[in-house]
C-alpha cells in the first residue's frame, strides 16, 4: 500500500490493544487482522506518550457519536472519508437500512477487502466502497455509488485533517456542508497548531515525515474553522474533558486560554437549520 495508507494499520493496532484489555472501552475483533504485523511495527515506531490512550478515546467518542446519529437522528447513510482500516460497519450495532460508504485510495481498499474477505457482512446493512483520491473530485464517484445528496448524511473525518494543508482542509469541510441535506452531521478530529510545534513531538513528527506521512495542519480555534466552513458546532472536546475521557486520559487538561499547549480536539457538528443543498 501507499505510505499514507499504512497509517490506517498502526491505528488499527492500537484498537487491537484496547480490545485485548480486560477493561476495554470497545471490542474490535477485526483490528488485529487489518493491522497485520506492519501495524504493530509502525505503532512501536510512532507511539509516544498519550498516543495509545488518545486513539482509544477517539474511537470510543466517535463510536458513541455515530450510534447517536443513526439511532436518535435516524440518519441512514454514513460516509467515512479516508476510511482506512475502519471496521465499524462490521462491529457496531446499526439500525436496519443503513448504508455505509467507505472512501479511500484504491490500494488500501483492495488490501482491506483481501484481509476481510472471509468475514460475512452483517444482516440489515450495506457497505459500499468508493475508490477515490480526496484531493480530486470524489463527490461524483460517491453519487455513482448510490449516495443521495438530498438525504441527511453522517460524515466521519477521523484521523484525516492533520495530513492536509489548510486550503484542502477548508475546501473539504466546506464541500461537506455544501453537499449535505438538512439534518446532516459531521464528526471528526483535529489537532492544535501547537501540537505541530511541540519539541516533545519532534521524534514522532519526524518519523511520520520520513515515512511520507507528514502532519501539515493544526488550529487553535476548531470552532471557528468549522463555523467558517458552514457547520454549526454542537461540541468540541479535548481528551480528558467530561465526555471525552472514559477513564483513559492520564494527563491534566490545561484551559483553552493557556497558549502553546499541544491539543487534540474531537468534534460533533450539525448543518445549520434551513441550509439548502445546492447540488
Amino acid at each position: 500500500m501507499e505510505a499514507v495508507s499504512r497509517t490506517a494499520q498502526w491505528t488499527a493496532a492500537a484498537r487491537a490493544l484496547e480490545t485485548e484489555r480486560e477493561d476495554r472501552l470497545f471490542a474490535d475483533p477485526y483490528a488485529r487482522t487489518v493491522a497485520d504485523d506492519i501495524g504493530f511495527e509502525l505503532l512501536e515506531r510512532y507511539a509516544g506518550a498519550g498516543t495509545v490512550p488518545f486513539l482509544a478515546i477517539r474511537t470510543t467518542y466517535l463510536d458513541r457519536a455515530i450510534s447517536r446519529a443513526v439511532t436518535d437522528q435516524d440518519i441512514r447513510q454514513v460516509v467515512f472519508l479516508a476510511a482506512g482500516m475502519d471496521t465499524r460497519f462490521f462491529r457496531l450495532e446499526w439500525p436496519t437500512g443503513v448504508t455505509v460508504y467507505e472512501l479511500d485510495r484504491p490500494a488500501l481498499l483492495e488490501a482491506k477487502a483481501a484481509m476481510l474477505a472471509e468475514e460475512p457482512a452483517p444482516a440489515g446493512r450495506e457497505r459500499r466502497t468508493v475508490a477515490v483520491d480526496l484531493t480530486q473530485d470524489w463527490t461524483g464517484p460517491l453519487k455513482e455509488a448510490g449516495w443521495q445528496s438530498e438525504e441527511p448524511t453522517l460524515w466521519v473525518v477521523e484521523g484525516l485533517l492533520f495530513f492536509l494543508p489548510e486550503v484542502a482542509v477548508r475546501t473539504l469541510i466546506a464541500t461537506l456542508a455544501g453537499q449535505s441535506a438538512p439534518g446532516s452531521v459531521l464528526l471528526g478530529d483535529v489537532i492544535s497548531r501547537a501540537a505541530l510545534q511541540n519539541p516533545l513531538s519532534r521524534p514522532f513528527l519526524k518519523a511520520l515525515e520520513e515515512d511520507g506521512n507528514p502532519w501539515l495542519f493544526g488550529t487553535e480555534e476548531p470552532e471557528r474553522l468549522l463555523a467558517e466552513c458552514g457547520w454549526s458546532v454542537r461540541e468540541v472536546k479535548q481528551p480528558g474533558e467530561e465526555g471525552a475521557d472514559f477513564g483513559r486520559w492520564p494527563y491534566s487538561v490545561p484551559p483553552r486560554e493557556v497558549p502553546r499547549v499541544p491539543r487534540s480536539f474531537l468534534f460533533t457538528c450539525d448543518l445549520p437549520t434551513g441550509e439548502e443543498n445546492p447540488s
Side-chain angles (χ1 to χ4, degrees), residues 3-7 46 163 205 208-215:
V4 71
S5 301
R6 294 208 311 269
T7 63
Y46 296 146
F163 288 107
L205 295 173
L208 285 172
E209 186 173 3
E210 289 173 350
D211 291 349
N213 311 311
W215 279 10

Side-chain angles (χ1 to χ4, degrees), residues 86-179:
D86 185 275
T87 61
R88 290 187 174 95
F89 171 78
F90 296 94
R91 67 179 181 82
L92 292 186
E93 295 292 330
W94 297 93
T96 299
V98 167
T99 301
V100 173
Y101 297 88
E102 295 186 5
L103 277 62
D104 216 312
R105 297 186 178 186
L108 185 145
L109 293 177
E110 290 170 7
K112 184 176 180 179
M115 291 174 176
L116 297 174
E118 301 302 316
E119 298 296 339
R125 69 195 75 165
E126 186 173 359
R127 172 174 171 256
R128 301 179 186 177
T129 59
V130 185
V132 293
D133 182 339
L134 290 172
T135 64
Q136 301 176 12
D137 173 53
W138 53 268
T139 58
L142 180 59
K143 290 178 181 179
E144 291 173 4
W147 173 75
Q148 303 293 317
S149 60
E150 66 274 14
E151 297 295 329
T153 302
L154 171 60
W155 305 99
V156 184
V157 287
E158 179 182 21
L160 170 62
L161 298 181
F162 31 77
F163 288 107
L164 305 175
E166 181 170 354
V167 171
V169 169
R170 289 182 174 274
T171 298
L172 176 62
I173 298 173
T175 297
L176 298 179
Q179 292 287 328

Side-chain angles (χ1 to χ4, degrees), residues 2-277:
E2 301 168 51
V4 71
S5 301
R6 294 208 311 269
T7 63
Q9 290 185 276
W10 68 267
T11 55
R15 295 200 309 272
L17 295 180
E18 178 65 28
T19 297
E20 291 158 10
R21 291 177 58 136
E22 290 187 3
D23 61 344
R24 60 180 175 265
L25 295 172
F26 56 84
D28 185 348
Y30 313 96
R32 187 168 281 274
T33 297
V34 296
D36 207 1
D37 292 341
I38 186 63
F40 289 92
E41 292 170 12
L42 290 172
L43 182 62
E44 185 174 349
R45 173 168 166 77
Y46 296 146
T51 300
V52 172
F54 167 72
L55 292 172
I57 289 169
R58 184 177 75 182
T59 300
T60 303
Y61 176 89
L62 292 176
D63 280 0
R64 298 182 183 187
I66 289 167
S67 295
R68 285 193 298 269
V70 296
T71 301
D72 299 342
Q73 296 179 246
D74 200 32
I75 296 176
R76 288 297 177 266
Q77 52 183 7
V78 182
V79 180
F80 290 92
L81 294 129
M85 293 297 174
D86 185 275
T87 61
R88 290 187 174 95
F89 171 78
F90 296 94
R91 67 179 181 82
L92 292 186
E93 295 292 330
W94 297 93
T96 299
V98 167
T99 301
V100 173
Y101 297 88
E102 295 186 5
L103 277 62
D104 216 312
R105 297 186 178 186
L108 185 145
L109 293 177
E110 290 170 7
K112 184 176 180 179
M115 291 174 176
L116 297 174
E118 301 302 316
E119 298 296 339
R125 69 195 75 165
E126 186 173 359
R127 172 174 171 256
R128 301 179 186 177
T129 59
V130 185
V132 293
D133 182 339
L134 290 172
T135 64
Q136 301 176 12
D137 173 53
W138 53 268
T139 58
L142 180 59
K143 290 178 181 179
E144 291 173 4
W147 173 75
Q148 303 293 317
S149 60
E150 66 274 14
E151 297 295 329
T153 302
L154 171 60
W155 305 99
V156 184
V157 287
E158 179 182 21
L160 170 62
L161 298 181
F162 31 77
F163 288 107
L164 305 175
E166 181 170 354
V167 171
V169 169
R170 289 182 174 274
T171 298
L172 176 62
I173 298 173
T175 297
L176 298 179
Q179 292 287 328
S180 294
S184 294
V185 174
L186 172 65
L187 305 174
D189 66 312
V190 69
I191 59 173
S192 67
R193 190 175 297 108
L196 298 173
Q197 302 165 345
N198 179 22
L200 296 178
S201 299
R202 284 175 185 164
F204 166 68
L205 295 173
K206 182 179 179 182
L208 285 172
E209 186 173 3
E210 289 173 350
D211 291 349
N213 311 311
W215 279 10
L216 302 174
F217 175 74
T219 177
E220 315 301 331
E221 300 178 298
E223 294 90 347
R224 180 176 178 179
L225 168 72
L226 294 161
E228 288 177 349
C229 293
W231 290 93
S232 175
V233 178
R234 191 189 309 174
E235 68 176 20
V236 172
K237 298 283 189 181
Q238 296 180 82
E241 293 180 334
E242 184 177 358
D245 181 83
F246 313 117
R248 283 291 181 272
W249 194 243
Y251 311 109
S252 61
V253 183
R256 288 282 294 276
E257 58 268 21
V258 177
R260 296 183 295 279
V261 174
R263 304 178 190 274
S264 295
F265 303 106
L266 303 164
F267 58 79
T268 300
C269 302
D270 303 286
L271 196 67
T273 303
E275 189 77 16
E276 294 298 330
N277 184 342

